[in-house]
Amino acid sequence: MTRYQPRNVLVTGGAGFIGSHFVRHLLAGDLRVRILNLDLLTYAGSLRNLEHLPDAGRHTFVRGDIRDRPLVDRLLREHRIDTVVHFAAESHVGRSIADPADFIATNLQGTFNLLEACRACWLDEEGRRPGDCRFHHISTDEVYGSLAPGAPAFTEQTAYAPNSPYSATKAGADHLVRSWFHTWGLPVTTSNCSNNYGPHQHREKLMPTVIRACASGAPIPVFGDGSQIRDWLYVEDHCAAVDTVIRQGRVGEVYNIGGDNEWVNIDLVREICAVMDGLLPAGAPHERLIEFVEDRPGHDWRYAIDGTRIREAFGWRPDSDFGERLASTCRWHLDHACDSRQS
């Protein structure tokens, strides 16, 4: 299989949690790559996430909106972009329930704008061949809906069944990306990942919420009875997998990226509390802070990723030890607990 070589890469949402880690991954690993980082810097993005980049001279930041078509058109041409890695999205399920309009605008309209801009520039104007450009779309396991007890993990053939405004808009974006490949031949790949964790994650997500509550002695909110199950993927493993798919993936294909690391929510919360007991013994046992709260509407019970395709195609598998990464994640969030710009 011919490997694709990105050169001038547009990373959307590159000041957010996963996007900023991907920027670091590319800069550290491929000296031939130059990165243009486009981020609107909403609540989920922060320039703090881009401090101390490796070889920062190959990174250019632009504050802007993926829904701004003239801006996207100009950036593609001025920077001779050959690769788009599309992280930018509204991704907080609770916010999608409270106000779904932003999710429709960003996840659907924003993705549409990027696809159309790339089609016009790469195919209509420049006549690029599939091996000369690539559009990689970052999606989520939530588009597949909820797994029943004992059900096999999600594969790339699992039927879509989104249950929240967030997952519905991501599912719609996935379908747009697929259709631009099948209708116009835009060279695309897509990856659907499980729950990420690690440094720089937004304070509203589960792990930062638990860590912050332990540090302050506040109640730790757990939805329902805490029996929901999630597969956890370290963010740097995710970035390595995305890079692998961009370079080696077959155009038009989807690759599921999982951590092979399922946890019942309440068990994970207790595990974090145990780590925090060691870091903050004066507050131990932190498990006493757990407080069960009313479950979220449309809360999926279980997600799990079957990573057979990416493992067999490229030999990729998650490389991190969960215990070590969880401890280092707790230490990072504890050290940055007072940083209101944490994302």
Side-chain angles (χ1 to χ4, degrees):
M1 181 183 297
T2 303
R3 292 173 63 97
Y4 174 73
Q5 173 58 55
R7 298 285 184 177
N8 298 313
V9 182
L10 171 62
V11 177
T12 71
F17 167 44
I18 307 175
S20 63
H21 278 276
F22 186 74
V23 167
R24 291 181 185 278
H25 172 86
L26 274 190
L27 291 175
D30 189 341
L31 298 179
R32 294 168 291 185
V33 165
R34 302 189 68 85
I35 296 176
L36 177 65
N37 187 342
L38 178 62
D39 197 298
L40 190 56
L41 296 180
T42 62
Y43 66 91
S46 172
L47 293 179
R48 280 286 185 92
N49 296 338
L50 299 171
E51 292 178 346
H52 312 298
L53 292 176
D55 201 357
R58 292 188 288 117
H59 172 264
T60 300
F61 178 80
V62 174
R63 182 171 185 173
D65 195 333
I66 59 172
R67 295 172 295 177
D68 184 345
R69 177 63 188 275
L71 172 64
V72 174
D73 285 341
R74 177 173 61 81
L75 294 177
L76 288 176
R77 290 159 179 79
E78 286 185 359
H79 294 265
R80 300 291 298 162
I81 298 298
D82 54 53
T83 307
V84 172
V85 188
H86 180 32
F87 288 94
E90 293 282 350
S91 65
H92 295 239
V93 175
R95 288 178 182 254
S96 81
I97 295 169
D99 185 10
D102 286 343
F103 288 73
I104 293 170
T106 298
N107 297 353
L108 290 173
Q109 185 65 44
T111 301
F112 165 77
N113 278 352
L114 290 169
L115 290 166
E116 275 293 86
C118 289
R119 180 171 75 92
C121 179
W122 293 345
L123 304 186
D124 296 346
E125 295 177 20
E126 299 177 357
R128 289 179 182 258
R129 297 170 299 177
D132 297 332
C133 54
R134 192 64 40 91
F135 185 106
H136 183 77
H137 174 59
I138 308 296
S139 190
T140 171
D141 56 4
E142 296 191 38
V143 299
Y144 299 123
S146 183
L147 286 169
F154 300 132
T155 71
E156 291 82 358
Q157 286 73 46
T158 299
Y160 276 34
N163 292 319
S164 71
Y166 161 60
S167 57
T169 56
K170 288 299 290 185
D174 293 2
H175 292 317
L176 289 176
V177 172
R178 172 185 167 87
S179 70
W180 257 247
F181 167 70
H182 284 282
T183 303
W184 291 287
L186 187 72
V188 306
T189 48
T190 295
S191 56
N192 296 73
C193 71
S194 54
N195 282 36
N196 280 222
Y197 72 98
H200 300 285
Q201 190 167 27
H202 192 275
R203 59 190 289 113
E204 292 181 5
K205 297 293 188 176
L206 176 61
M207 285 196 188
T209 295
V210 176
I211 297 164
R212 191 173 64 256
C214 289
S216 64
I220 300 170
V222 176
F223 285 123
D225 61 1
S227 64
Q228 303 89 354
I229 299 171
R230 299 292 183 264
D231 175 37
W232 290 90
L233 172 67
Y234 190 60
V235 62
E236 292 182 8
D237 286 336
H238 182 198
C239 292
V242 168
D243 193 16
T244 297
V245 170
I246 291 168
R247 296 171 189 273
Q248 301 182 51
R250 188 182 299 276
V251 168
E253 293 293 327
V254 176
Y255 298 88
N256 283 353
I257 303 171
D260 296 333
N261 183 37
E262 289 186 60
W263 281 79
V264 176
N265 279 358
I266 187 61
D267 292 339
L268 177 62
V269 170
R270 289 176 175 140
E271 185 73 12
I272 296 170
C273 287
V275 173
M276 295 300 290
D277 287 347
L279 296 174
L280 296 174
H286 291 90
E287 187 175 328
R288 63 183 169 79
L289 300 171
I290 293 174
E291 181 177 288
F292 294 96
V293 299
E294 183 179 356
D295 207 353
R296 186 168 62 200
H299 199 175
D300 293 331
W301 184 71
R302 173 178 170 239
Y303 305 138
I305 286 284
D306 181 341
T308 299
R309 170 176 283 185
I310 191 171
R311 183 173 60 251
E312 292 185 349
F314 316 125
W316 181 89
R317 64 182 66 243
D319 188 46
S320 297
D321 177 273
F322 181 68
E324 292 179 2
R325 292 302 194 184
L326 180 62
S328 66
T329 296
C330 287
R331 287 192 295 269
W332 189 92
H333 283 285
L334 184 59
D335 290 342
H336 295 79
C338 296
D339 184 357
S340 63
R341 290 167 290 184
Q342 180 182 322
S343 62

